[in-house]
Amino acid sequence: MEFEGELKKRGFRKISSSEFSLQFRRLGLKAPRPRFGRELGYLFYANQYTVLVWTTWLEEQQMAREEDAGWVLIAERDKVLYFSHPMHRTKNFIQNLLMQARIACWKVRHRPLCPECKNFMNIVRGRALKQRFWKCDRKELHTGGKNRFRSWDYGLPEEAIKYIQPIRKKREKRYAALRAEGKKPHQAMLGRKRWGKREQ
């Protein structure tokens, strides 16, 4: 599969069924609704962060799950620090999922160092719902005792920036239209049923 080959070239590996089942039981996860099958997933690890790519492809059934989306996320151990926007199975689904995976992989592989204390910077939330940026809060090591920050796009290659910018402009235009209608953006995301924990 070309998609898998492109991921493997960048250091991703397939998540095995046994590995998935082990983590699922360890974390005590509970799906938001009844599901059959298991989506194909891939993992990349570097600099203390993990990139996970979840497709909509059910490997055993050799079919895509209906009404599902692909996801790319970045985690530190069991804590998810970043979720991509969901990618639905439209015309460019595979290309978009691969590009989001490549960008997340690049961020983790090139996790920035604090310009002052040279420690790894951390992914933190911004004021907006999906906003992220890089931060070093080791104030005791910084001149003036202040935090140090980097843009979420810090150091990204030009190819990635050219891919991201039109998507963001289109998204902002859609958000502005919703606000003009008196609606709030992200309602679908806020209303989405989430994975929970099974009762012990």
Side-chain angles (χ1 to χ4, degrees):
M1 186 166 57
E2 185 178 350
F3 176 78
E4 183 173 291
E6 288 296 318
L7 288 181
K8 285 184 175 180
K9 282 196 301 187
R10 290 166 174 81
F12 283 87
R13 64 171 178 81
K14 186 188 296 185
I15 299 172
S16 68
S17 296
S18 59
E19 182 181 7
F20 176 85
S21 297
L22 180 64
Q23 294 294 336
F24 194 89
R25 290 194 300 270
R26 184 180 70 81
L27 296 173
L29 295 177
K30 181 181 179 181
R33 60 182 61 85
R35 299 161 72 87
F36 76 94
R38 182 185 72 87
E39 294 99 338
L40 199 57
Y42 299 88
L43 178 153
F44 170 84
Y45 178 83
N47 296 324
Q48 302 170 25
Y49 281 166
T50 300
V51 178
L52 292 162
V53 179
W54 290 110
T55 69
T56 62
W57 186 254
L58 303 174
E59 191 169 27
E60 289 187 10
Q61 291 78 16
Q62 288 294 294
M63 61 179 286
R65 191 189 296 279
E66 294 182 9
E67 299 182 4
D68 202 359
W71 298 85
V72 175
L73 59 93
I74 300 174
E76 184 176 27
R77 292 183 289 276
D78 296 335
K79 182 180 180 182
V80 177
L81 304 173
Y82 163 80
F83 267 110
S84 70
H85 286 267
M87 284 159 277
H88 299 282
R89 295 193 67 87
T90 57
K91 179 181 177 182
N92 297 314
F93 170 72
I94 293 296
Q95 294 93 325
N96 288 330
L97 186 59
L98 179 59
M99 193 63 182
Q100 291 287 351
R102 289 174 59 190
I103 291 172
C105 178
W106 200 99
K107 288 177 181 290
V108 168
R109 193 189 298 275
H110 299 88
R111 182 178 177 181
L113 299 177
C114 174
E116 190 161 355
C117 71
K118 308 305 178 185
N119 285 294
F120 277 133
M121 302 188 83
N122 303 310
I123 298 172
V124 294
R125 296 174 182 271
R127 292 183 179 179
L129 192 59
K130 298 286 286 185
Q131 185 182 31
R132 296 291 185 274
F133 56 92
W134 296 100
K135 176 182 178 181
C136 179
D137 59 5
R138 298 171 181 85
K139 297 180 181 180
E140 70 279 4
L141 302 178
H142 303 158
T143 304
K146 296 182 179 180
N147 294 325
R148 296 291 179 258
F149 301 93
R150 293 283 197 194
S151 162
W152 182 231
D153 295 339
Y154 175 75
L156 277 180
E158 186 177 354
E159 178 189 7
I161 297 296
K162 286 182 177 179
Y163 170 81
I164 291 169
Q165 285 180 338
I167 294 175
R168 286 180 178 164
K169 287 180 180 179
K170 185 177 180 181
R171 195 174 287 143
E172 283 302 317
K173 187 176 181 180
R174 186 171 73 249
Y175 293 165
L178 286 171
R179 293 188 187 99
E181 295 172 6
K183 300 176 183 178
K184 293 182 179 180
H186 305 299
Q187 290 307 297
M189 183 178 70
L190 292 171
R192 189 179 297 124
K193 291 185 178 180
R194 301 178 181 274
W195 286 69
K197 294 277 188 176
R198 295 194 301 271
E199 293 183 7
Q200 301 299 317

